[in-house]
Amino acid sequence: MLKLTKSNSNSSNNSNRIVSTLNYLAFLLAFTFIVAEVSYSIIIRSRTKSVGNQLNTSSSDISQIVNKANSNLSYNRSIISLRQELSFEPIVFRTDSLGSIIPSNFDKVKPGDKYVFFCGGSTTEASHTNEGKRPTDIFSAISGIKSVNLAKSGKGLLGCMKTLKLFLLKLESDHQNINKPYKYVIATSVNSLMDYGRTLADSNSNSNFNIRSNLIAGLNSFLVRFHRNYTIGIKLTTYEHALLDGCCFGISSINSRHNNSPVIDWSSSDTYEKYRSHLNFSFQELSSLLTSFSIPKDDLIVFIEPDSFAIDYLKLYPAYWKGYDARQVLSDSNGKKMTPSESGIVLDRFNSIYINVAKSFDFKTLEISTQDMPPQSFYDAVHTTDIGSAYIGNVYYEALK
């Protein structure tokens, strides 16, 4: 009888230890996930910050506004490839000694070569598109004209001006007899609007960090993401989860109730006028920059980046997305989320201002009709799949050949 009682006690103690161990492991798992998510959020925010407005700099500063030189990174993707069959695949992202994106990189340019300078934000960088299938790569493959892709996530018009200036200074100082580019493409319509919104932000915003609320938010995020993986039937990458959580389209964070962000009335004539003034300054600076390097305005094209807001959900995403929508919609001045259609109307209005200001300085503009793009060209509001990137590459070919 004594042995039986002792055995039950040991069994109970063992069970308690197992439960405690499992609880501890669950805590460690949740804590690790939260730390990883917070770290990733910091990385994403740092990649989408505005470059800044100062053009007075030296050629040695180019590393600050392009991707890290000699990068060799590997990503994974599953749902954002929008392939017919759901799969998990690696993506390679490499840069050369200048930070330009392989295979559209400066190190390939030789004396006498004809090439095009491309600058923009994440849609031109296309870091989650397969190497060799980004818009600049497709353009070069079709045309036989080399490309130098110096795009970087978050870079706006002023950022591209700084990049262009430093690039041209490099050509002058290297004495390698590399010609100036044959043409120049600036694709910053999205990030220029983002930069305008951020000029209204308080520099001290988001300075408070509440451990309890962030732990709760992190745990909730863990549960949401676990459910997504189960629903879709494949483990999504951290980036893909972040997209579905609303990440990576800076304009969508403006007016957000969850951020100490600026409040903008998207339909106000005063807002339009202020944005027009903001762009007037930028395009005047661009005009002056070209003049200082004796570059004809006809050699530069201002590209208007397309968005997916006008596309019907069923024509955009395959069935395995299970109803999830990664398009990061805008919020109105009261913090209420808009519909994709309403968000698209807002972007169209501001794109029109962007185009009109560019034309007022005699710049050529290039625009794409989203309705002409093939199905499944986008995986979120503005970022393109391999299919969408190929289409844009063909548009570049038609405009630059």
Side-chain angles (χ1 to χ4, degrees), residues 45-233:
R45 282 198 297 269
S46 69
R47 282 176 62 81
T48 56
K49 284 184 179 179
S50 173
V51 175
N53 297 347
Q54 299 301 318
L55 293 180
N56 296 323
T57 186
S58 66
S59 59
S60 62
D61 295 325
I62 195 165
S63 61
Q64 298 176 11
I65 52 172
V66 298
N67 282 289
K68 185 178 179 181
N70 301 313
S71 295
N72 190 352
L73 306 175
S74 294
Y75 303 126
N76 290 305
R77 68 180 185 182
S78 56
I79 59 170
I80 63 171
S81 67
L82 271 67
R83 296 193 181 281
Q84 195 169 15
E85 297 295 331
L86 181 60
S87 61
F88 196 85
E89 60 180 328
I91 298 294
V92 176
F93 183 83
R94 298 182 298 156
T95 64
D96 66 3
S97 60
L98 185 64
S100 54
I101 303 168
I102 296 173
S104 296
N105 55 302
F106 180 69
D107 283 356
K108 285 187 176 180
V109 179
K110 306 301 180 186
D113 280 351
K114 183 178 180 180
Y115 66 101
V116 177
F117 171 96
F118 287 90
C119 188
S122 55
T123 57
T124 306
E125 179 189 56
S127 62
H128 283 76
T129 299
N130 264 318
E131 189 173 271
K133 294 187 177 181
R134 300 178 180 112
T136 57
D137 308 336
I138 297 297
F139 161 76
S140 291
I142 299 171
S143 67
I145 301 172
K146 292 181 179 178
S147 299
V148 175
N149 185 354
L150 282 165
K152 185 178 182 181
S153 176
K155 190 180 294 187
L157 180 54
L158 290 172
C160 275
M161 281 190 280
K162 187 174 182 181
T163 301
L164 176 57
K165 179 180 180 180
L166 294 175
F167 179 78
L168 293 170
L169 288 172
K170 176 179 174 59
L171 292 183
E172 290 183 349
S173 63
D174 278 0
H175 307 295
Q176 295 181 4
N177 297 318
I178 301 293
N179 300 330
K180 287 181 183 177
Y182 157 68
K183 295 288 183 182
Y184 305 79
V185 176
I186 304 294
T188 61
S189 56
V190 168
N191 285 343
S192 292
L193 180 56
M194 178 188 72
D195 286 346
Y196 166 67
R198 286 178 173 173
T199 60
L200 307 179
D202 181 355
S203 60
N204 295 319
S205 64
N206 297 317
S207 58
N208 296 323
F209 184 83
N210 185 296
I211 294 178
R212 182 174 180 275
S213 62
N214 278 276
L215 285 174
I216 293 173
L219 181 58
N220 180 67
S221 176
F222 171 77
L223 295 174
V224 168
R225 295 182 178 197
F226 179 84
H227 181 261
R228 280 192 200 126
N229 289 343
Y230 175 79
T231 302
I232 293 177

